[in-house]
Amino acid sequence: IEQLRTILLKALLRPSIPIKPIFYNLVGRPLWDHARDCATACKTLAPNHQIDADDGYLLGLVHDAGKLVIFKLLCSAFRATSATVSPRAAIVARVVQRYANELSHCLARHWNFPPSFLDAIEEQGATAPARMSALGRTLFQGNLVAEAYVVMQKHRFSRSTLDEALRRFDLSLELVYSIFPAAPRPAAR
């Protein structure tokens, strides 16, 4: 798994594209941090869905590969045009929202991932969690847990509000803390 992470990092972000440190820190690093955190959450949640933990980890790690490719392509485009300003966040967000999942699915298909992985990636955002495959639910919940972890690190939210949001998807803050023990404790309101 660690070798795969290294290969993906080198294949998708590093090759000969000098990325301004600010752009990497604002976009690239958070994408990789989320991929790692989602992989960790999926690995932990996998047994709950009768999924192999390593399958959960791998799927969590690669589910947003499309976002990483879009980031790399944007960096290449800005380098080629000698642009002096970074792209507006709203534009990048629209491109990512529209194409990232489809691109992740194409990459997984190109890498000959098993059909269950392809289905799980395709189900994200297009299928209600209750109708997802077990692997799709694992990814859906792992992604939410990783997102909650980011919220807890970067924003101030009340414990009850965040816990209520997680409970709508059969998750809890206690689960987030069990997977990410260093997560900050939100203020009780």
Side-chain angles (χ1 to χ4, degrees):
I1 296 295
E2 189 59 32
Q3 288 175 334
L4 176 64
R5 184 178 116 19
T6 302
I7 290 167
L8 285 172
L9 179 61
K10 288 179 181 177
L12 296 176
L13 282 183
R14 299 277 168 101
S16 70
I17 297 177
I19 299 170
K20 291 182 180 179
I22 184 97
F23 198 38
Y24 174 75
N25 286 334
L26 290 174
V27 180
R29 183 180 311 259
L31 285 174
W32 272 110
D33 289 347
H34 173 71
R36 181 202 59 229
D37 294 342
C38 185
T40 299
C42 287
K43 181 177 183 171
T44 303
L45 294 169
N48 298 348
H49 300 283
Q50 288 76 48
I51 300 296
D52 179 75
D54 288 337
D55 285 353
Y57 189 89
L58 177 60
L59 184 61
L61 194 60
V62 301
H63 83 285
D64 276 343
K67 289 180 183 178
L68 294 166
V69 169
I70 289 169
F71 171 68
K72 179 180 174 181
L73 291 173
L74 284 172
C75 290
S76 295
F78 275 84
R79 181 172 176 249
T81 62
S82 300
T84 57
V85 294
S86 296
R88 292 181 45 206
I91 293 170
V92 173
R94 270 191 298 221
V95 170
V96 167
Q97 184 177 18
R98 169 65 183 92
Y99 298 106
N101 197 57
E102 185 178 340
L103 187 52
S104 293
H105 187 267
C106 287
L107 287 167
R109 192 172 53 243
H110 177 74
W111 292 333
N112 294 317
F113 276 39
S116 60
F117 278 56
L118 299 175
D119 292 345
I121 292 170
E122 190 172 24
E123 290 169 346
Q124 303 308 301
T127 307
R131 294 193 306 242
M132 289 180 180
S133 63
L135 196 54
R137 276 191 308 281
T138 302
L139 177 57
F140 181 81
Q141 289 185 331
N143 193 48
L144 285 176
V145 167
E147 293 291 346
Y149 182 47
V150 169
V151 166
M152 294 163 75
Q153 290 175 313
K154 299 187 184 250
H155 305 285
R156 289 187 184 203
F157 278 87
S158 73
R159 178 181 182 91
S160 60
T161 301
L162 190 53
D163 202 38
E164 181 182 319
L166 288 167
R167 287 199 187 282
R168 282 187 262 168
F169 300 101
D170 297 322
L171 302 168
S172 69
L173 276 178
E174 300 317 314
L175 176 64
V176 178
Y177 290 128
S178 72
I179 296 171
F180 303 108
R185 306 286 171 166
R189 290 186 190 169

